[in-house]
Amino acid sequence: MVIGSFRPFEIDELDVLEREVGLLLPASRRSFLQAVGGESFAYSVLLPDCGPEPLQSFGDLYELGRDSAGEYDYGTLLGEYRRSSDWWVANEVQLLGLLPIARDAE
């Protein structure tokens, strides 16, 4: 189930994102972002090896484009990508080209 409404965005935001990340988005991801842009997408994924909580939920997709203040800040794809080097996992995994897509609902 997709829950909106989604914040409008300029279509060139896809190009801005791809230039900064340095990779082209797969056509299916580009189409998805063009359709919804981000914000809220209610779903859960069953991950049996992730006990004691094997059901993982993601409540907020990062938005394509700028936030309501006109910035690439927290909660935007580009803002989260720019901050990814500050994450603890950046010490363990090469994050170049890895695009964050959602925030854990909890």
Side-chain angles (χ1 to χ4, degrees), residues 4 7 21 47 54-55 71 89:
R7 184 185 316 279
V21 172
L47 301 171
L55 194 58
E71 303 292 329
V89 74

Side-chain angles (χ1 to χ4, degrees), residues 14 17-26 81 96-99:
L14 286 167
L17 179 66
E18 288 176 332
R19 270 194 310 274
E20 183 145 344
V21 172
L23 298 169
L24 296 177
L25 295 173
Y81 177 76
L96 184 63
L98 184 62
L99 187 64

Side-chain angles (χ1 to χ4, degrees), residues 28-57:
S28 58
R29 182 68 180 155
R30 190 176 245 279
S31 294
F32 175 78
L33 288 171
Q34 287 174 316
V36 301
E39 192 169 295
S40 181
F41 187 65
Y43 72 96
S44 296
V45 177
L46 180 62
L47 301 171
D49 293 335
C50 290
E53 298 179 18
L55 194 58
Q56 300 292 313
S57 298

